[in-house]
């Protein structure tokens, strides 16, 4: 690519970012006072203008694709225009940018009709923010759209499960299933690493092989429901991303035979979604009601009934800790759980974006009592779960992993 072409490419990108108002500043680089855009760039420009130019809020995209005039709030067949706009966005922008544009379309333009028409919803790329909005509006979704909405949520859940399941299963089995050895010989359970390490002194230099004096075997028998994992999820509106991630992770836990998984969500009331979690995480998400107040103490009290063997229990609280219930009772309950041997952690946020807003004073109090509080990306959670099951210091582990 020549320097001239590189300059044109850079200018075109800036033109797309800045919009039509940048034409005057860039007039020296094109004919007729405008920087020339390719046909593809004109479509991209029109799609961006529909969201980011100074148009009438709430307007559907116009039909003037390929033109730098007449953009923004359109008239006529709004649903048709919106469907075409969605197609243009998905065709010409990278996936991560599509998610941002869709989110901005709803926030800046109020295009909630994205979620109410089956044809439009089917054209939307499923992402965390969109599904969070969908769940918050699920009581208003018309009957004709519910099946499409469910398919969209299922597509996202399937993607998240694929992303996380292998690492979470590996973390759990790594912590629980290979700690003890068995005197019973089993080729499939042979611990090759330990067998080689312990028999290095029996290396036959002439034959260049190790002649083992003793073999070591893993205890392959898994005790069903060896551990109890309780995921207690704050479903207040500010926790939308975390609720979705935590729900999917809860469903993965529920599929692991060695774990007795309980999934609970709360606002001012407590709802046990364990059965839906085990059967279908999509059902579970549709059982969540985003928004409302917060009574963390009430939810922790509810969860206490599932703790039969404290030293074999992991309690994960997902919350921003803005407690509207009895805060002192909450602190006391969490301290008593730790003193009984329960391994506890608080995830202030479980998402890929941004620092969480949370009650810093309460977080410090819980941390002093032995319940570390941190934000965490989903990719780092398997390591934290493995560390918790192994009895590691989660505060130190979180620092090494770089969580907030």
């Amino acid at each position: 690519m020549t320097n001239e072409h590189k300059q044109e490419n850079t200018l075109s990108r800036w033109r797309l970012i800045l919009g039509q108002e940048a034409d005057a500043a860039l007039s020296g680089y094109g004919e007729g006072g405008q920087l020339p855009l390719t046909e593809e760039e004109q479509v991209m420009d029109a799609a961006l203008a529909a969201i980011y130019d100074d148009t009438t809020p709430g307007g559907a995209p116009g039909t003037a694709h390929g033109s730098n005039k007449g953009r923004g709030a359109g008239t006529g067949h709004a649903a048709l225009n919106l469907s075409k706009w969605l197609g243009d966005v998905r065709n010409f922008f990278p996936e991560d940018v599509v998610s941002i544009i869709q989110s901005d379309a709803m926030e800046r333009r109020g295009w909630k009709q994205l979620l109410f028409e089956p044809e439009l919803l089917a054209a939307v790329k499923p992402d965390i923010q969109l599904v969070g909005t969908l769940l918050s509006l699920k009581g208003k979704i018309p009957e004709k759209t519910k099946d499409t909405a469910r398919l969209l949520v299922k597509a996202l859940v399937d993607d998240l499960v694929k992303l996380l399941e292998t690492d979470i299963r590996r973390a759990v089995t790594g912590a629980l299933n290979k700690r003890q050895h068995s005197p019973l010989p089993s080729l499939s359970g042979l611990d090759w690493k330990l067998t080689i390490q312990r028999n290095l002194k029996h290396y036959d230099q002439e034959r260049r092989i190790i002649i083992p004096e003793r073999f070591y075997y893993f205890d392959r028998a898994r005790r069903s429901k060896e551990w109890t994992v309780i995921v207690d999820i704050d479903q207040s509106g500010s926790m939308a991303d975390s609720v979705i991630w935590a729900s999917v992770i809860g469903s993965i836990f529920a599929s692991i035979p060695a774990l007795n998984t309980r999934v609970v969500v709360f606002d001012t009331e407590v709802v046990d979604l364990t059965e839906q979690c085990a059967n279908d995480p999509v059902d579970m998400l549709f059982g969540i009601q985003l928004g409302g107040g917060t009574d963390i103490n009430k939810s922790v009290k509810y969860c206490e009934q599932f703790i039969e063997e404290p030293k074999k229990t992991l309690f994960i609280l997902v919350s921003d800790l803005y407690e509207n219930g009895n805060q002192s009772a909450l602190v006391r309950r969490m301290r008593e759980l730790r003193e009984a041997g329960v391994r506890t952690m608080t995830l202030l946020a479980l998402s890929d974006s941004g620092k969480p807003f949370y009650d810093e004073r309460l977080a410090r109090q819980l941390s002093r009592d032995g319940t570390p509080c941190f934000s965490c990306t989903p990719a780092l959670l398997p390591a934290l779960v493995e560390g918790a099951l192994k009895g590691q210091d989660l505060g130190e582990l979180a620092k090494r992993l770089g969580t907030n």
Side-chain angles (χ1 to χ4, degrees):
M1 181 182 291
T2 66
N3 288 336
E4 183 178 350
H5 286 154
K6 287 181 180 178
Q7 183 183 36
E8 289 180 359
N9 184 262
T10 300
L11 290 171
S12 295
R13 286 177 176 272
W14 275 110
R15 168 60 182 79
L16 290 173
I17 291 170
L18 297 175
Q20 184 179 355
E21 292 183 359
D23 279 338
L26 299 172
S27 59
Y29 296 94
E31 298 179 1
Q34 292 184 349
L35 181 73
L37 299 176
T38 66
E39 184 176 349
E40 178 179 313
E41 288 170 342
Q42 290 177 31
V43 176
M44 296 169 70
D45 187 35
L48 292 173
I51 305 300
Y52 301 108
D53 277 9
D54 187 18
T55 55
T56 304
T63 57
H65 295 301
S67 168
N68 287 334
K69 297 184 182 296
R71 299 176 303 186
T75 59
H77 303 292
L80 176 63
N81 294 346
L82 186 52
S83 180
K84 186 180 187 308
W85 175 83
L86 281 167
D88 290 342
V89 168
R90 296 191 68 173
N91 286 335
F92 293 107
F93 293 93
E95 285 193 6
D96 54 341
V97 177
V98 171
S99 296
I100 295 171
I101 294 174
Q102 287 179 173
S103 177
D104 285 348
M106 289 186 290
E107 292 300 320
R108 296 168 67 99
R109 296 300 182 212
W111 292 348
K112 293 297 191 294
Q113 63 260 49
L114 282 171
L115 307 178
F116 293 156
E117 295 293 335
E119 296 80 6
L120 297 178
L121 192 59
V124 170
K125 177 189 178 296
D127 59 51
I128 292 285
Q129 289 75 25
L130 186 69
V131 168
T133 302
L134 182 66
L135 294 176
S136 69
L137 296 171
K138 66 179 187 293
K140 302 177 183 178
I141 295 176
E143 283 295 328
K144 65 180 182 179
T145 312
K146 286 184 178 179
D147 288 344
T148 307
R150 182 178 177 81
L151 289 175
L152 186 143
V153 174
K154 185 178 186 306
L156 177 71
V157 168
D158 289 345
D159 286 345
L160 299 186
V161 169
K162 288 177 185 176
L163 182 67
L164 294 174
E165 185 171 28
T166 299
D167 287 341
I168 288 179
R169 283 183 173 275
R170 184 184 297 120
V172 172
T173 55
L176 302 184
N177 295 333
K178 293 190 175 182
R179 294 178 300 167
Q180 298 180 348
H181 288 82
S182 169
L184 301 177
S186 167
L187 181 60
S188 64
L190 182 62
D191 184 346
W192 289 98
K193 183 177 180 180
L194 185 61
T195 297
I196 292 172
Q197 287 177 340
R198 295 287 177 87
N199 288 283
L200 284 174
K201 59 185 176 182
H202 303 302
Y203 180 71
D204 187 322
Q205 293 189 359
E206 184 176 333
R207 298 165 63 184
R208 302 181 68 181
I209 61 172
I210 293 175
I211 304 175
E213 182 179 81
R214 179 181 174 186
F215 291 89
Y216 296 84
Y217 302 93
F218 289 123
D219 183 357
R220 304 304 293 174
R222 294 182 180 178
R223 284 192 295 154
S224 179
K225 313 305 181 187
E226 181 179 357
W227 273 73
T228 295
V229 175
I230 302 171
V231 186
D232 193 19
I233 308 170
D234 181 347
Q235 62 177 350
S236 58
S238 61
M239 298 292 294
D241 286 13
S242 297
V243 166
I244 295 169
W245 281 111
S247 299
V248 170
I249 288 165
S251 72
I252 296 173
F253 285 151
S255 70
I256 299 176
L259 301 180
N260 175 29
T261 303
R262 308 294 310 191
V263 177
V264 172
V265 298
F266 66 91
D267 41 39
T268 53
E269 299 299 326
V270 180
V271 181
D272 194 327
L273 295 178
T274 300
E275 185 175 344
Q276 292 94 319
C277 170
N279 295 333
D280 186 348
V282 177
D283 277 347
M284 179 185 168
L285 282 171
F286 275 101
I288 287 171
Q289 182 63 56
L290 290 172
T294 309
D295 194 334
I296 309 172
N297 177 60
K298 187 175 183 178
S299 73
V300 176
K301 179 180 179 181
Y302 176 86
C303 292
E304 287 175 345
Q305 65 184 298
F306 305 120
I307 301 174
E308 297 180 356
E309 191 175 352
K311 293 183 179 180
K312 290 287 186 178
T313 300
L314 172 61
F315 182 79
I316 303 174
L317 174 63
V318 184
S319 175
D320 55 17
L321 298 180
Y322 285 111
E323 171 68 311
N324 294 326
N326 191 327
Q327 190 170 116
S328 60
L330 169 63
V331 171
R332 184 177 66 253
R333 285 185 190 284
M334 295 299 292
R335 183 189 304 123
E336 289 172 350
L337 290 180
R338 286 290 302 164
E339 291 173 349
V342 176
R343 300 177 190 183
T344 59
M345 70 171 80
T346 297
L347 301 180
L348 303 166
L350 183 60
S351 67
D352 285 321
S353 59
K355 282 191 173 185
F357 292 100
Y358 62 97
D359 188 321
E360 295 185 19
R361 189 188 65 79
L362 183 53
R364 284 194 298 270
Q365 178 65 61
L366 293 177
S367 295
R368 283 196 298 268
D369 288 345
T371 297
C373 302
F374 38 74
S375 60
C376 175
T377 65
L380 293 178
L381 184 62
L384 290 173
V385 170
E386 182 175 9
L389 296 177
K390 287 181 175 179
Q392 297 176 0
D393 185 322
L394 291 185
E396 291 300 319
L397 178 59
K399 290 178 183 178
R400 293 201 301 272
L401 294 173
T403 61
N404 293 326

